[in-house]
Structures are given as C-alpha cells and as structure tokens.
Amino acid sequence: MTSKDKVLTLLEQHKGSFISGEVIAQQLDITRAAVWRSIQDLRSSGHVIEASTKVGYKLQEESDVLSVQGITAALASKDKVNIVYHETIDSTNKEAKRLALEGAPHATVVVAGCQTEGRGRNGKIFYSPQASGLYLSMLMRPNMGTSMALRITAAAAVAVCRAIEDVSEKQAGIKWVNDIYCNNKKVCGILTEGISGFESGNIESVIVGIGINHQLPEQGFPPELKHIAGALFEGAVLPQATRNRLAAAVIKHLLWVVDNLDSPTIMAEYQQRSVVIGKKITVLQGRENYNATAVAIASDGALIVRLEDGKEQQLRSGEISLRPASGQSW
Amino acid sequence: MEIKEFTQIITIFEQSSLSEMEITSETFSIHLKKPTTNELKELPKIIKTEEKKDDKPKKSTKTITSPIVGTFYRTPSPDSPPYVEVGKPIRTGDVVCTIEAMKLMNQMEAEFDCEIVAVLADQGSLVEFGQPLFEVLPL
C-alpha cells in the first residue's frame, strides 16, 4: 500500500471528523510532509478533504470517490470480502470471470466507477457512465447444483432492494426476474453468470453483476433509456448514501442471502416486492414472444402468467416487459 | 460310457445325413444336433459384422443433458458465432452452450477433451431438465 492509500484508510475510518496530521504521521510511521503530499494527491483524485492548521484533516461526509478503503470502512468486520477496485474497466463481470480463472476465492468483489463494455443479457449493452453509477460484481463459489444456484438471482434482487432502502429513503420493487425499480423507473440491473460442468451439472462459480444508477448521468440518459431508466438520487446525495456506503450495503446483504438461499423469508420478500403482479406483460422467451397477464410468483421464483386463452403457465426462463395502457413498454 | 465310445457316436452322426439324433440307455442319454442350412448361411454374415467392429475400435459417445429447465443458447450473444461446431475438437474448460433460467446465464463447460458429434437442441429453444443437448465423443 502506498502512503496515499494508507492515509485514505485512516481518513475513511474517521470520515466526517478531524484527525491531526501528527496522529496520521505517527500511526502510519511516515513524515508529516508525506502526509501533506498524500492529502494533495487524494484531493486531485476528487476526495473532498478539509484542512485546518489547528485540528488537521477531515474527509467530508459527502466526499464520494469509490475506493477499497471507502467500502471497507463502511463494512462490518464480520463481512469478509476481497475487494478489487478499478476506476474504469471493460466489465466488472468480465474481470470477475478473469479472476475466477486465476483461482480467486469465494466473495471476491470487483468494483468499478465506469464500464466501457457494460453488458446485460445476451450481450445487450448496459449503459455505465462514469461518476454516476456503481458497478459491482461478486464472485461466489457456492457448493451446490445448478437448480439451487437458480435461487441466487431472485435473492440478489432482494439483497439490492434491502441495500437501497438501508442507505436511501426510497422504496425498491422488483420487476421479474431481477430489475430493481424505484418510483417506476429502473435504477438497477443484475446479470448473473454461472459456470457449471457439462456432465456433472455442478456449479463451479457464480458471478452476480450489479449496475446501479446512483445519480443521474451528467449528460442524462440516452434517448432509448429515458422513459425506463432512473437514478437513486436526482439531486443531492445523502451523506449515508455515498456509492462507497451503497457498495458496502450491497455486499453485506449479498453475503447474507447467498448463505441463506433456502430461507423462506427471502422468497416471501421477493414475492412481496414484485411490481408486476396483475399487470399486462409481453413474454420474451428465446425466439418466442407473446402477451399475457402476470398472476403470481411461485415459491421457487417462477412467474405464473395467464395467457390470452385463459391458460396459466409458469415462467422460469426468458424475460418480460410491461405493457402500460398508454406510453411505451418497460 | 467311455470317452472312446462317445467320440465314435459323434463321428457316426457327423458322417450321417441325419440332422438330429438322440440315444437313451440306462446309464446315459445323448442328444446331438447339426446346424440347419439356414443357420449355416447366416453364420458367415455374423462373422463379417464382428470383423467390421474389430477393424475400427470406437470409443462410445456421451450424451450431454440439460441440468435445468431453461432457454438453450449456442452463442454468447445473438450476433456471435456458436461456442462450438460439430466435428471440431474442444478442450476441457471450453464453453459449449449457455442455458438461461431465472436470468442466471449458466455456461456449461466441457469436463473432458471431446469432439461434438451432434447438437441436439435448437438455438433459443426451451429445454427440459435432462433433455439431450449434445452428443460428444471423448478424445
């Protein structure tokens, strides 16, 4: 770790309060000049640090530059994770996959402030601009078969809703399978990728990739996303809802749900948070697409739909879009 | 009955025009039968097919089935080429397909070096648990 990283660790641990240059120098066993240089470096990286000759340095509550230190400071010590941070990366899922191949352990988290090749299902692009979003992938190595692993996607949606509600005053709902909506706008997409043996069917690793629109992008959303996409914060960000704190909340809840996949409370919450029940939808499944009405969510997360001929069926694959009485579908 | 006598009886039977013979006495019973003409004709055929098998010792193929109910994809994205092609060898760790269920994009990886002999499911189709997806020949 560089002096700059070490100084940031201390500042994040004391976020919102002053710590003197002398104490920093002593604790890190560096000179006060080195402390000063580190502070200048951190400021040029965007950290908002107040300096006072009498009391020292203070990392402002609203300062929100994503970092391993910032996330770690907001995590409880029991939440053991291995965090890798990149300011910009092609895709956090791709990076997590690369790390998985190198043998990275369970609960390895890749965080980025910007993705150049953010992806959704089937290679769709996930708009991932700089400084306004949180892009996070967690590599998990659960010891389970493919069918149990299917629960991870619904559980991850519940985890993200809990995290959003922990740090903001928003209420989060789930559009089947796992898009997260606040105020009728999509604020989060989740792409889960698994790798399993083709003969054994055992899951070797699962990567849950989460993209959250934390704030509105500087240039706004592209036209094709405008009617669907929203952000958690459209104005000032609450100090407790910085991207670092949101990342920590997501990690905390993800770790819990993955350890408790068979807990009935997760599925009950998944059903209760659904925003599609009773709505008219279009089902997109492989090459097919047809109209239906969403009726309920089954105990394994399948969506029960009523077709136009009155027949009911359960969906465990594909995706849906809602057909509002007026306006565009989402 | 002595072995000698027994051999004599067999010789007599073989040289005769009889197709079947049965002798029963107090101490023994013997039943002899010659193959019919039909059976004789078929015999060389059987030998032939056996020889064919011996010429090309083939490893048996394996059927790869779906571990879940889901949508079967042969390509990583709609515009990409398929992960694997029939007739091409693949290595352990190569991805052969993606099966999507509950938005888990599950890539199935080869657990041994093999050659794809046949693809048994259609791109974008819904597959059942246990449905055959590929026929592979271990290398």
Side-chain angles (χ1 to χ4, degrees):
Chain A
M1 248 208 263
T2 62
S3 297
K4 181 185 166 189
D5 289 336
K6 288 180 192 163
V7 170
L8 180 58
T9 304
L10 273 184
L11 290 176
E12 283 285 0
Q13 284 166 357
H14 296 83
K15 200 175 187 198
S17 51
F18 278 102
I19 175 167
S20 77
E22 199 179 335
V23 170
I24 297 174
Q26 271 177 4
Q27 287 206 10
L28 302 179
D29 197 19
I30 56 177
T31 64
R32 289 194 62 173
V35 173
W36 187 82
R37 274 197 308 275
S38 297
I39 297 287
Q40 297 314 310
D41 270 2
L42 289 167
R43 279 176 168 162
S44 64
S45 308
H47 296 271
V48 186
I49 300 165
E50 193 184 329
S52 154
T53 42
K54 283 178 191 154
V55 281
Y57 303 102
K58 176 170 88 171
L59 183 61
Q60 299 286 29
E61 281 285 10
E62 72 274 13
S63 180
D64 188 22
V65 177
L66 270 174
S67 67
V68 175
Q69 292 86 346
I71 298 168
T72 310
L75 272 175
S77 53
K78 68 174 174 58
D79 292 326
K80 297 263 180 293
V81 283
N82 163 33
I83 303 171
V84 180
Y85 169 73
H86 295 275
E87 199 174 314
T88 298
I89 195 134
D90 50 356
S91 135
T92 54
N93 263 32
K94 275 190 187 171
E95 175 66 4
K97 216 178 250 185
R98 287 190 286 263
L99 294 174
L101 284 175
E102 289 166 14
H106 176 77
T108 294
V109 180
V110 179
V111 180
C114 173
Q115 295 186 113
T116 54
E117 294 171 30
R119 288 172 308 146
R121 262 164 53 92
N122 280 337
K124 275 189 208 164
I125 289 170
F126 187 89
Y127 183 62
S128 319
Q130 199 170 1
S132 65
L134 170 66
Y135 313 102
L136 180 155
S137 293
M138 191 187 282
L139 164 70
M140 291 176 282
R141 298 190 182 274
N143 186 18
M144 58 180 68
T146 313
S147 56
M148 190 65 175
L150 292 185
R151 293 173 181 237
I152 289 178
T153 56
V158 169
V160 172
C161 287
R162 289 180 180 179
I164 287 174
E165 291 177 4
D166 272 4
V167 302
S168 75
E169 286 146 359
K170 298 283 164 85
Q171 279 201 323
I174 301 168
K175 172 180 161 258
W176 192 86
V177 176
N178 56 12
D179 288 343
I180 313 291
Y181 279 73
C182 290
N183 300 333
N184 293 322
K185 295 274 184 163
K186 178 172 167 179
V187 297
C188 167
I190 303 177
L191 175 68
T192 311
E193 298 181 272
I195 293 175
S196 66
F198 76 166
E199 196 181 28
S200 64
N202 275 334
I203 286 280
E204 183 195 294
S205 62
V206 174
I207 294 163
V208 178
I210 295 166
I212 302 177
N213 304 327
H214 184 253
Q215 294 154 72
L216 287 175
E218 220 167 90
Q219 304 88 355
F221 287 107
E224 68 275 17
L225 295 179
K226 250 181 185 152
H227 68 285
I228 301 178
L232 277 187
F233 297 99
E234 307 203 338
V237 176
L238 300 170
Q240 77 271 19
T242 58
R243 289 186 296 165
N244 282 322
R245 287 186 171 146
L246 178 61
V250 167
I251 291 168
K252 168 189 144 187
H253 288 292
L254 260 187
L255 287 175
W256 189 85
V257 295
V258 170
D259 279 346
N260 295 277
L261 276 186
D262 46 5
S263 156
T265 59
I266 295 175
M267 193 46 74
E269 188 173 330
Y270 181 71
Q271 291 166 323
Q272 179 229 315
R273 285 185 185 275
S274 177
V275 296
V276 301
I277 303 310
K279 301 262 168 64
K280 289 192 188 309
I281 58 169
T282 301
V283 178
L284 311 150
Q285 206 167 49
R287 296 159 302 182
E288 288 181 58
N289 88 57
Y290 52 88
N291 291 340
T293 303
V295 176
I297 288 182
S299 59
D300 65 345
L303 181 67
I304 302 170
V305 300
R306 189 181 305 116
L307 307 180
E308 286 178 331
D309 63 4
K311 277 187 200 147
E312 283 191 3
Q313 72 181 44
Q314 299 196 353
L315 300 183
R316 289 189 175 76
S317 171
E319 61 183 315
I320 59 167
S321 62
L322 279 90
R323 292 180 290 134
S326 62
Q328 279 174 288
S329 61
W330 46 279
Chain B
M1 185 167 140
E2 298 289 322
I3 292 286
K4 209 178 156 191
E5 292 168 356
F6 186 71
T7 329
Q8 276 173 353
I9 292 172
I10 289 176
T11 315
I12 293 163
F13 173 70
E14 274 181 341
Q15 286 165 0
S16 77
S17 61
L18 293 172
S19 65
E20 206 167 340
M21 185 174 86
E22 194 168 332
I23 302 167
T24 312
S25 82
E26 279 175 11
T27 51
F28 71 95
S29 167
I30 182 169
H31 185 126
L32 297 166
K33 193 182 171 185
K34 286 183 192 166
T36 63
T37 26
N38 276 347
E39 280 167 349
L40 276 172
K41 267 187 195 164
E42 276 172 8
L43 213 55
K45 253 193 212 163
I46 294 163
I47 291 164
K48 218 177 175 181
T49 47
E50 274 171 0
E51 273 174 356
K52 208 175 177 182
K53 266 186 191 167
D54 290 342
D55 277 354
K56 286 182 187 171
K58 259 194 177 176
K59 265 197 209 171
S60 57
T61 59
K62 280 188 172 180
T63 306
I64 302 305
T65 60
S66 177
I68 45 171
V69 177
T71 308
F72 174 80
Y73 293 102
R74 286 194 60 198
T75 60
S77 68
D79 309 325
S80 319
Y83 291 113
V84 291
E85 300 277 10
V86 171
K88 288 212 177 130
I90 55 168
R91 306 288 300 272
T92 304
D94 283 355
V95 175
V96 297
C97 67
T98 296
I99 304 220
E100 181 271 331
M102 290 300 289
K103 219 175 165 190
L104 170 68
M105 309 301 292
N106 184 42
Q107 294 189 322
M108 291 174 65
E109 254 183 24
E111 286 164 302
F112 45 81
D113 295 353
C114 61
E115 183 190 312
I116 303 287
V117 176
V119 182
L120 306 170
D122 291 336
Q123 166 79 355
S125 66
L126 200 64
V127 293
E128 297 296 324
F129 171 81
Q131 182 176 329
L133 305 174
F134 295 98
E135 193 79 38
V136 302
L137 184 68
L139 298 173

